């Protein structure tokens, strides 16, 4: 079985346009770990969604090209409204973020009036604005523990909610949403991958179903996966998250081998191309913006998330 480290699709003309436009526009290019190899290669920084937002807020550049999906560009704008946040592929949505509406949250609040809402950062800005706090996959359990209520409404990802439920004594009221690519992974996929690479360590994301956590060696967000590989003596890893992560790990750890368990491919993450990055910088027309009162309401819950490791 071959490792999943597909070579980047080279587009020299677009790369050349980007090189001059990034200076002209005073731009920094940020890419999520699930982006295609050629986008990770041209980015100034690759990271998870919280790291990208923090990088957008910290950068001295006036323009941020956010290569990811819409909720990531929204979160960057929430933290850095004075900057122009461009989305090269403005139609790159996230089915998980879109599956829970503000009306769904209000209905849950009516059913559980004593509960405080925590929403995964993979959610729309309107949901973030209604939440007490956001969380990442890495700090979800710590955020839930820190919320001043014994009952928590959690969404949109059911699997992450169940993962937190195993780690807290708080009463969890979990919305039944999911990330389609991650939710498709099965324990059978992991068993098959292990049969091919019996010496490999298996790392899975908490957005995968609970049966996958039980079949894996570690359940981690993408940042945790990087830390685990750095600490591990293993030379092969089976990775239960989006395939772009294998390319990222391969770049960070040359000499080790990575492959996905099953097939976890997010079509929205693959919409960004070097040509679209160049066009976004040329036209400056795909900036993410929204109403200041909405941004300010969402800012409070994002900052609670950012304050917890
Ligand atoms: Fe959304 Fe899942 Fe794609 Fe991430 S991998 S952007 S959570 S659909």
């Amino acid at each position: 079985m071959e490792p999943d480290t597909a070579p980047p699709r080279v587009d020299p003309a677009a790369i050349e346009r980007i090189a001059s436009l990034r200076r002209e526009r005073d731009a920094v290019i940020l890419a999520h770990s699930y982006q295609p190899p050629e986008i990770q290669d041209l980015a100034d920084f690759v990271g998870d969604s919280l790291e990208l937002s923090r990088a957008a807020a910290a950068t001295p550049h006036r323009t941020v090209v956010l290569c990811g999906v819409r909720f990531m560009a929204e979160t960057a704008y929430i933290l850095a409204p004075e900057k122009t946040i461009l989305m090269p592929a403005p139609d790159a949505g996230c089915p998980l973020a879109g599956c829970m509406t503000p009306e769904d949250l209000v209905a849950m609040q009516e059913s559980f009036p004593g509960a405080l809402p925590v929403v995964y950062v993979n959610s729309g800005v309107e949901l973030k604005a209604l939440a007490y706090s956001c969380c990442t996959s890495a700090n979800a359990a710590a955020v839930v523990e820190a919320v001043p209520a014994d009952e928590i409404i959690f969404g949109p990802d059911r699997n992450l909610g169940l993962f937190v439920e195993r780690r807290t004594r708080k009463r969890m009221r979990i919305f039944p949403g999911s990330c389609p690519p991650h939710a498709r992974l099965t324990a059978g996929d992991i068993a098959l991958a292990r049969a091919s690479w019996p010496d490999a360590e298996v790392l899975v994301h908490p957005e995968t179903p609970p049966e996958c956590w039980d079949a894996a060696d570690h359940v981690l967000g993408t940042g945790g996966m990087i830390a685990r590989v750095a600490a591990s003596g293993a030379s092969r890893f089976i990775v239960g998250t989006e395939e772009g992560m294998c390319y990222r790990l391969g770049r960070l750890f040359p000499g080790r081998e990575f492959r996905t368990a099953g097939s976890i491919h997010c079509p929205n993450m693959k919409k960004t191309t070097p040509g679209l990055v160049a066009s976004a910088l040329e036209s400056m027309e795909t900036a993410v913006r929204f109403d200041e009162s909405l941004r300010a309401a969402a800012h409070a819950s994002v900052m609670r998330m950012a304050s917890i490791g």
Side-chain angles (χ1 to χ4, degrees):
M1 183 169 292
E2 292 302 313
D4 292 344
T5 42
R9 289 166 296 171
V10 181
D11 181 349
I15 303 293
E16 217 170 285
R17 280 160 69 210
I18 292 166
S20 68
L21 283 162
R22 76 204 311 171
R23 284 192 298 274
E24 219 172 283
R25 304 296 195 204
D26 186 23
V28 66
I29 300 175
L30 310 181
H32 190 267
S33 306
Y34 298 165
Q35 287 285 291
E38 59 275 18
I39 298 298
Q40 296 193 34
D41 282 356
L42 64 81
D44 298 297
F45 177 79
V46 183
D48 63 28
S49 50
L50 181 58
E51 287 170 336
L52 298 185
S53 302
R54 283 180 169 148
T59 182
H61 297 282
R62 284 180 294 122
T63 304
V64 175
V65 183
L66 203 305
C67 302
V69 295
R70 179 155 293 274
F71 77 81
M72 295 173 182
E74 288 177 352
T75 311
Y77 179 71
I78 289 166
L79 289 177
E82 73 287 1
K83 291 171 187 154
T84 301
I85 313 290
L86 295 174
M87 268 192 85
D91 64 333
C94 166
L96 171 60
C99 75
M100 185 177 184
T101 65
E103 292 73 27
D104 290 326
L105 178 51
V106 170
M108 289 182 81
Q109 286 177 299
E110 283 167 5
S111 301
F112 308 111
L116 283 177
V118 173
V119 301
Y120 191 21
V121 68
N122 301 25
S123 57
V125 60
E126 294 83 2
L127 212 57
K128 289 182 172 76
L130 289 176
Y132 177 80
S133 181
C134 290
C135 68
T136 66
S137 56
N139 73 4
V143 167
V144 163
E145 282 299 301
V147 169
D150 292 330
E151 193 175 8
I152 305 292
I153 293 168
F154 190 94
D157 192 68
R158 177 173 181 270
N159 289 335
L160 182 60
L162 294 172
F163 184 72
V164 172
E165 195 171 47
R166 286 192 182 183
R167 285 156 181 78
T168 181
R169 278 189 287 176
K170 295 198 175 183
R171 181 176 289 189
M172 299 288 287
R173 306 296 189 179
I174 302 170
F175 183 80
S178 65
C179 158
H182 282 90
R184 275 194 289 270
L185 191 71
T186 66
D189 293 326
I190 293 173
L192 268 178
R194 271 200 200 273
S196 307
W197 279 12
D199 56 330
E201 237 180 65
V202 179
L203 317 176
V204 301
H205 196 280
E207 286 173 27
T208 61
E211 67 176 48
C212 297
W213 316 336
D214 299 335
D217 297 312
H218 300 280
V219 187
L220 299 160
T222 54
M225 287 181 183
I226 291 169
R228 176 60 209 160
V229 174
S232 169
S235 58
R236 283 176 155 183
F237 296 84
I238 294 164
V239 180
T241 192
E242 213 279 340
E243 62 191 14
M245 190 62 193
C246 285
Y247 184 73
R248 173 133 197 249
L249 289 166
R251 269 188 18 154
L252 289 172
F253 301 101
R256 315 254 196 132
E257 290 184 296
F258 303 91
R259 57 149 305 200
T260 50
S263 167
I264 309 184
H265 171 89
C266 175
N268 283 289
M269 280 287 182
K270 307 308 181 205
K271 287 183 175 173
T272 318
T273 63
L276 287 176
V277 172
S279 299
L281 282 166
E282 235 154 37
S283 71
M284 298 291 279
E285 278 175 2
T286 55
V288 172
R289 277 189 204 95
F290 35 82
D291 181 75
E292 177 53 24
S293 59
L294 179 61
R295 191 201 67 81
H299 185 260
S301 65
V302 170
M303 288 310 288
R304 285 202 174 97
M305 166 181 78
S307 70
I308 294 182

